[in-house]
Protein backbone atom coordinates (compact mmCIF):
# COMPACT_ATOMS: atom_id res chain seq x y z
CA UNK A 1 0.00 0.00 0.00
CA UNK A 2 1.23 3.48 -0.83
CA UNK A 3 0.99 5.89 2.09
CA UNK A 4 -0.13 9.49 1.49
CA UNK A 5 -0.83 10.66 5.03
CA UNK A 6 1.82 8.90 7.05
CA UNK A 7 5.54 8.15 6.85
CA UNK A 8 6.80 4.68 7.71
CA UNK A 9 10.44 3.73 8.23
CA UNK A 10 12.39 0.85 9.66
CA UNK A 11 15.86 1.14 11.16
CA UNK A 12 17.93 -0.89 13.62
CA UNK A 13 15.01 -2.98 14.85
CA UNK A 14 12.71 0.02 15.24
CA UNK A 15 9.61 0.89 13.24
CA UNK A 16 8.81 4.59 12.94
CA UNK A 17 5.28 5.74 12.07
CA UNK A 18 4.79 9.49 11.61
CA UNK A 19 1.37 10.99 10.96
CA UNK A 20 1.99 13.52 8.23
CA UNK A 21 -0.88 15.93 7.56
CA UNK A 22 0.69 19.00 9.23
CA UNK A 23 -1.58 21.50 7.42
CA UNK A 24 -4.54 19.84 9.20
CA UNK A 25 -2.56 19.37 12.43
CA UNK A 26 -2.34 15.65 11.59
CA UNK A 27 -6.11 15.19 12.09
CA UNK A 28 -7.26 11.61 11.58
CA UNK A 29 -9.38 11.32 8.46
CA UNK A 30 -10.64 7.98 7.14
CA UNK A 31 -7.68 7.46 4.81
CA UNK A 32 -5.17 8.16 7.58
CA UNK A 33 -6.86 5.67 9.89
CA UNK A 34 -6.75 3.00 7.16
CA UNK A 35 -3.11 3.78 6.34
CA UNK A 36 -2.18 3.55 10.03
CA UNK A 37 -3.87 0.15 10.24
CA UNK A 38 -1.88 -1.09 7.24
CA UNK A 39 1.38 0.33 8.60
CA UNK A 40 0.99 -1.27 12.03
CA UNK A 41 -0.02 -4.58 10.45
CA UNK A 42 3.03 -4.47 8.18
CA UNK A 43 5.45 -3.62 11.02
CA UNK A 44 3.91 -6.26 13.32
CA UNK A 45 4.56 -8.89 10.65
CA UNK A 46 8.24 -7.85 10.32
CA UNK A 47 9.93 -10.02 12.91
CA UNK A 48 13.00 -7.80 12.97
CA UNK A 49 10.92 -4.83 14.17
CA UNK A 50 11.05 -5.01 17.96
CA UNK A 51 9.48 -1.68 18.97
CA UNK A 52 7.33 0.87 17.10
CA UNK A 53 7.53 4.62 17.75
CA UNK A 54 4.45 6.67 16.78
CA UNK A 55 4.69 10.44 16.45
CA UNK A 56 3.33 13.41 14.49
CA UNK A 57 5.13 15.44 11.86
CA UNK A 58 6.35 18.98 12.61
CA UNK A 59 6.26 20.54 16.04
CA UNK A 60 2.70 21.72 16.49
CA UNK A 61 0.65 18.55 16.67
CA UNK A 62 0.79 14.86 17.42
CA UNK A 63 -2.83 14.60 16.22
CA UNK A 64 -5.43 17.38 16.74
CA UNK A 65 -8.30 14.90 16.71
CA UNK A 66 -10.55 13.06 14.34
CA UNK A 67 -11.11 15.07 11.16
CA UNK A 68 -14.18 17.11 12.10
CA UNK A 69 -14.90 18.06 8.47
CA UNK A 70 -15.45 14.40 7.60
CA UNK A 71 -18.11 13.57 10.19
CA UNK A 72 -19.92 16.88 10.73
CA UNK A 73 -22.91 15.73 8.61
CA UNK A 74 -23.03 12.09 9.79
CA UNK A 75 -26.26 10.33 10.87
CA UNK A 76 -26.67 8.32 14.11
CA UNK A 77 -25.82 5.07 12.32
CA UNK A 78 -22.85 6.58 10.52
CA UNK A 79 -21.57 7.91 13.86
CA UNK A 80 -21.78 4.45 15.41
CA UNK A 81 -20.04 2.89 12.43
CA UNK A 82 -17.27 5.54 12.54
CA UNK A 83 -16.49 4.75 16.18
CA UNK A 84 -16.87 0.97 15.84
CA UNK A 85 -14.66 0.66 12.76
CA UNK A 86 -12.02 3.05 14.10
CA UNK A 87 -11.82 1.19 17.40
CA UNK A 88 -11.53 -2.13 15.63
CA UNK A 89 -8.98 -1.35 12.93
CA UNK A 90 -6.79 1.12 14.78
CA UNK A 91 -7.23 1.84 18.48
CA UNK A 92 -7.95 -1.67 19.83
CA UNK A 93 -5.69 -3.05 17.13
CA UNK A 94 -2.66 -1.09 18.40
CA UNK A 95 -3.41 -1.92 22.03
CA UNK A 96 -3.39 -5.63 21.23
CA UNK A 97 -0.28 -5.71 19.04
CA UNK A 98 2.50 -8.04 20.17
CA UNK A 99 5.07 -5.39 19.27
CA UNK A 100 5.38 -2.63 21.88
CA UNK A 101 4.21 0.78 20.62
CA UNK A 102 5.50 4.00 22.23
CA UNK A 103 3.60 7.23 21.54
CA UNK A 104 5.98 10.19 21.30
CA UNK A 105 3.52 13.06 21.79
CA UNK A 106 5.11 16.07 20.11
CA UNK A 107 2.35 18.71 20.33
CA UNK A 108 -1.46 18.82 20.48
CA UNK A 109 -2.98 15.41 21.24
CA UNK A 110 -6.68 16.16 21.28
CA UNK A 111 -9.74 13.98 20.94
CA UNK A 112 -8.86 11.09 18.63
CA UNK A 113 -5.22 12.17 18.95
CA UNK A 114 -5.15 11.60 22.70
CA UNK A 115 -7.18 8.42 22.18
CA UNK A 116 -4.54 7.24 19.72
CA UNK A 117 -1.74 8.00 22.19
CA UNK A 118 -3.70 6.17 24.92
CA UNK A 119 -4.10 3.09 22.71
CA UNK A 120 -0.29 2.84 22.55
CA UNK A 121 1.42 0.79 25.25
CA UNK A 122 2.83 3.90 26.92
CA UNK A 123 3.44 7.57 26.20
CA UNK A 124 6.18 10.15 26.48
CA UNK A 125 5.70 13.84 25.66
CA UNK A 126 7.57 16.98 24.69
CA UNK A 127 7.28 20.11 26.85
CA UNK A 128 5.05 21.86 24.28
CA UNK A 129 2.49 19.03 24.17
CA UNK A 130 -1.09 19.69 25.20
CA UNK A 131 -3.61 16.94 25.79
CA UNK A 132 -7.38 16.83 26.11
CA UNK A 133 -10.67 15.29 25.05
CA UNK A 134 -12.63 18.30 23.72
CA UNK A 135 -15.47 16.27 22.17
CA UNK A 136 -18.30 17.55 24.43
CA UNK A 137 -17.50 21.07 23.18
CA UNK A 138 -18.59 19.75 19.77
CA UNK A 139 -21.74 18.07 21.11
CA UNK A 140 -20.30 14.57 20.92
CA UNK A 141 -18.31 12.28 23.23
CA UNK A 142 -14.97 10.51 22.72
CA UNK A 143 -15.65 7.55 20.40
CA UNK A 144 -12.27 5.93 19.93
CA UNK A 145 -12.00 4.46 23.43
CA UNK A 146 -11.38 7.71 25.33
CA UNK A 147 -14.14 7.21 27.90
CA UNK A 148 -12.58 3.83 28.76
CA UNK A 149 -8.82 4.35 28.52
CA UNK A 150 -8.58 7.79 30.17
CA UNK A 151 -10.14 6.55 33.47
CA UNK A 152 -7.94 3.44 33.29
CA UNK A 153 -4.84 5.59 33.02
CA UNK A 154 -5.56 8.54 35.32
CA UNK A 155 -8.54 7.48 37.48
CA UNK A 156 -12.24 8.16 37.13
CA UNK A 157 -12.50 11.54 38.87
CA UNK A 158 -9.76 13.30 36.92
CA UNK A 159 -10.96 11.68 33.67
CA UNK A 160 -14.51 12.87 34.31
CA UNK A 161 -13.19 16.40 34.88
CA UNK A 162 -11.12 16.38 31.69
CA UNK A 163 -14.00 15.01 29.61
CA UNK A 164 -16.67 17.30 31.07
CA UNK A 165 -14.62 20.50 30.93
CA UNK A 166 -13.13 19.66 27.51
CA UNK A 167 -9.99 21.41 28.81
CA UNK A 168 -6.43 20.73 27.77
CA UNK A 169 -3.70 19.83 30.22
CA UNK A 170 0.01 20.55 29.80
CA UNK A 171 2.62 17.86 29.32
CA UNK A 172 3.80 18.38 32.91
CA UNK A 173 0.25 17.98 34.24
CA UNK A 174 -0.13 14.86 32.08
CA UNK A 175 2.99 13.45 33.74
CA UNK A 176 1.68 14.27 37.21
CA UNK A 177 -1.55 12.31 36.58
CA UNK A 178 0.26 9.37 34.97
CA UNK A 179 -0.93 9.96 31.42
CA UNK A 180 2.64 10.23 30.12
CA UNK A 181 5.75 8.68 31.63
CA UNK A 182 8.34 11.37 30.82
CA UNK A 183 8.45 14.98 29.59
CA UNK A 184 11.47 16.21 27.66
CA UNK A 185 12.28 18.93 25.12
CA UNK A 186 11.03 18.40 21.59
CA UNK A 187 14.59 17.67 20.38
CA UNK A 188 14.99 14.98 23.01
CA UNK A 189 11.62 13.32 22.41
CA UNK A 190 12.38 10.73 19.71
CA UNK A 191 15.89 10.06 21.10
CA UNK A 192 14.27 9.27 24.48
CA UNK A 193 11.77 6.92 22.79
CA UNK A 194 14.73 5.24 21.06
CA UNK A 195 16.62 4.94 24.35
CA UNK A 196 13.65 3.27 26.07
CA UNK A 197 13.12 1.08 22.98
CA UNK A 198 16.77 0.02 23.25
CA UNK A 199 16.16 -1.26 26.78
CA UNK A 200 13.02 -3.12 25.65
CA UNK A 201 14.88 -4.70 22.71
CA UNK A 202 17.42 -6.34 25.02
CA UNK A 203 14.60 -8.51 26.43
CA UNK A 204 12.66 -11.45 25.03
CA UNK A 205 10.10 -10.31 22.42
CA UNK A 206 8.14 -13.49 23.04
CA UNK A 207 7.89 -12.76 26.76
CA UNK A 208 7.06 -9.09 26.10
CA UNK A 209 4.16 -10.03 23.83
CA UNK A 210 2.87 -12.43 26.53
CA UNK A 211 3.16 -9.63 29.11
CA UNK A 212 1.16 -7.25 26.87
CA UNK A 213 -1.56 -9.90 26.57
CA UNK A 214 -1.68 -10.48 30.31
CA UNK A 215 -1.74 -6.77 31.24
CA UNK A 216 -4.47 -6.06 28.68
CA UNK A 217 -6.56 -8.95 30.06
CA UNK A 218 -7.09 -6.86 33.20
CA UNK A 219 -9.24 -4.48 31.17
CA UNK A 220 -11.29 -6.96 29.15
CA UNK A 221 -14.87 -7.73 30.14
CA UNK A 222 -15.48 -11.29 31.27
CA UNK A 223 -11.81 -12.23 31.23
CA UNK A 224 -9.96 -13.32 34.35
CA UNK A 225 -6.64 -11.53 34.07
CA UNK A 226 -5.00 -13.69 36.74
CA UNK A 227 -5.91 -16.81 34.77
CA UNK A 228 -4.61 -15.23 31.55
CA UNK A 229 -1.37 -14.54 33.41
CA UNK A 230 -1.11 -18.14 34.65
CA UNK A 231 -1.49 -19.50 31.12
CA UNK A 232 0.84 -16.95 29.50
CA UNK A 233 3.43 -17.51 32.27
CA UNK A 234 3.29 -21.28 31.75
CA UNK A 235 3.52 -20.95 27.98
CA UNK A 236 6.80 -19.05 28.37
CA UNK A 237 8.38 -22.23 29.80
CA UNK A 238 8.00 -23.85 26.38
CA UNK A 239 9.86 -21.11 24.49
CA UNK A 240 13.46 -20.99 23.29
CA UNK A 241 13.75 -17.52 24.82
CA UNK A 242 13.04 -18.98 28.29
CA UNK A 243 15.75 -21.61 27.84
CA UNK A 244 18.19 -18.98 26.61
CA UNK A 245 17.26 -16.39 29.26
CA UNK A 246 17.54 -18.74 32.21
CA UNK A 247 20.68 -20.49 30.89
CA UNK A 248 22.36 -17.14 30.27
CA UNK A 249 21.64 -16.06 33.85
CA UNK A 250 23.00 -19.32 35.29
CA UNK A 251 26.08 -19.14 33.03
CA UNK A 252 26.63 -15.47 34.01
CA UNK A 253 26.41 -14.18 30.43
CA UNK A 254 24.07 -11.87 28.51
CA UNK A 255 21.17 -13.67 26.76
CA UNK A 256 20.97 -13.78 22.98
CA UNK A 257 17.28 -13.90 22.16
CA UNK A 258 16.19 -14.95 18.66
N1 LIG B 1 -10.29 18.21 12.21
C1 LIG B 1 -10.17 18.84 11.03
N2 LIG B 1 -9.34 19.86 10.83
C2 LIG B 1 -8.60 20.27 11.86
C3 LIG B 1 -8.66 19.66 13.12
C4 LIG B 1 -9.56 18.59 13.27
N3 LIG B 1 -9.68 17.92 14.43
N4 LIG B 1 -7.83 20.30 13.96
C5 LIG B 1 -7.22 21.27 13.23
N5 LIG B 1 -7.70 21.26 11.95
C6 LIG B 1 -7.34 22.13 10.86
C7 LIG B 1 -8.00 23.51 10.97
O1 LIG B 1 -9.33 23.47 10.46
C8 LIG B 1 -7.07 24.34 10.12
O2 LIG B 1 -7.35 24.08 8.75
P1 LIG B 1 -7.45 25.31 7.69
O3 LIG B 1 -6.09 25.96 7.74
O4 LIG B 1 -7.75 24.63 6.40
O5 LIG B 1 -8.52 26.20 8.20
C9 LIG B 1 -5.70 23.74 10.41
O6 LIG B 1 -5.96 22.43 10.89
C10 LIG B 1 -4.92 24.49 11.47
O7 LIG B 1 -5.72 24.59 12.64
P2 LIG B 1 -6.09 25.96 13.36
O8 LIG B 1 -7.36 25.75 14.13
O9 LIG B 1 -6.07 27.09 12.39
O10 LIG B 1 -4.86 26.10 14.36
P3 LIG B 1 -4.83 26.89 15.74
O11 LIG B 1 -3.39 26.98 16.12
O12 LIG B 1 -5.61 28.16 15.65
O13 LIG B 1 -5.61 25.96 16.79
C11 LIG B 1 -6.19 23.84 17.81
C12 LIG B 1 -5.09 24.68 17.12
C13 LIG B 1 -5.66 22.44 17.99
C14 LIG B 1 -6.51 24.46 19.17
C15 LIG B 1 -7.46 23.85 16.92
O14 LIG B 1 -7.09 23.47 15.61
C16 LIG B 1 -8.55 22.91 17.39
O15 LIG B 1 -9.25 23.20 18.34
N6 LIG B 1 -8.72 21.78 16.67
C17 LIG B 1 -9.80 20.84 16.91
C18 LIG B 1 -9.52 20.03 18.17
C19 LIG B 1 -10.67 19.10 18.45
O16 LIG B 1 -11.77 19.51 18.81
N7 LIG B 1 -10.43 17.81 18.29
C20 LIG B 1 -11.39 16.79 18.62
C21 LIG B 1 -12.09 16.34 17.41
S1 LIG B 1 -13.29 15.10 17.82
Amino acid sequence: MEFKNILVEKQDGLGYVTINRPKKLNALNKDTIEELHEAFKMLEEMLDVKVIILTGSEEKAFVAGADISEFAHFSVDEGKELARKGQEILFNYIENLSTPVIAAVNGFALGGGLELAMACHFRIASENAKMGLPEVSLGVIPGYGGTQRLPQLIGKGKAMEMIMTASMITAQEAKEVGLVNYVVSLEELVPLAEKIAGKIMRNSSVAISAAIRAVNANFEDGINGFETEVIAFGDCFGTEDFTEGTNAFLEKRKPKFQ
Side-chain angles (χ1 to χ4, degrees), residues 114-133:
L114 179 55
E115 291 173 300
L116 184 62
M118 291 194 294
C120 296
H121 296 118
F122 61 90
R123 291 140 293 284
I124 62 174
S126 54
E127 286 153 352
N128 62 310
K130 292 231 168 86
M131 282 156 257
L133 292 178

Side-chain angles (χ1 to χ4, degrees), residues 70-106:
E70 263 191 1
F71 65 69
H73 58 280
F74 271 15
S75 67
V76 168
D77 285 344
E78 286 172 318
K80 285 181 184 159
E81 180 56 20
L82 179 74
R84 186 165 287 123
K85 185 161 183 218
Q87 288 190 13
E88 183 188 318
I89 71 167
L90 187 58
F91 297 80
N92 297 353
Y93 187 77
I94 291 178
E95 185 169 55
N96 291 309
L97 285 180
S98 302
T99 314
V101 184
I102 305 173
V105 180
N106 58 305

Side-chain angles (χ1 to χ4, degrees), residues 3-23:
F3 299 123
K4 294 204 179 88
N5 301 292
I6 63 173
L7 306 170
V8 183
E9 288 169 74
K10 190 180 97 168
Q11 205 178 349
D12 301 330
L14 290 178
Y16 295 85
V17 179
T18 306
I19 300 146
N20 189 32
R21 295 182 77 213
K23 287 194 178 128

Side-chain angles (χ1 to χ4, degrees), residues 86 178 189:
L189 184 66

Side-chain angles (χ1 to χ4, degrees), residues 23-25 27 60 64-68 71 108 110-111 134-135 138:
K23 287 194 178 128
K24 294 290 173 190
L25 303 187
K60 192 165 171 183
D67 193 318
I68 299 167
F71 65 69
F108 287 116
L110 302 175
E135 283 87 347
L138 299 166

Side-chain angles (χ1 to χ4, degrees), residues 137-150:
S137 72
L138 299 166
V140 67
I141 68 165
Y144 288 143
T147 63
Q148 306 303 297
R149 292 193 182 97
L150 190 62

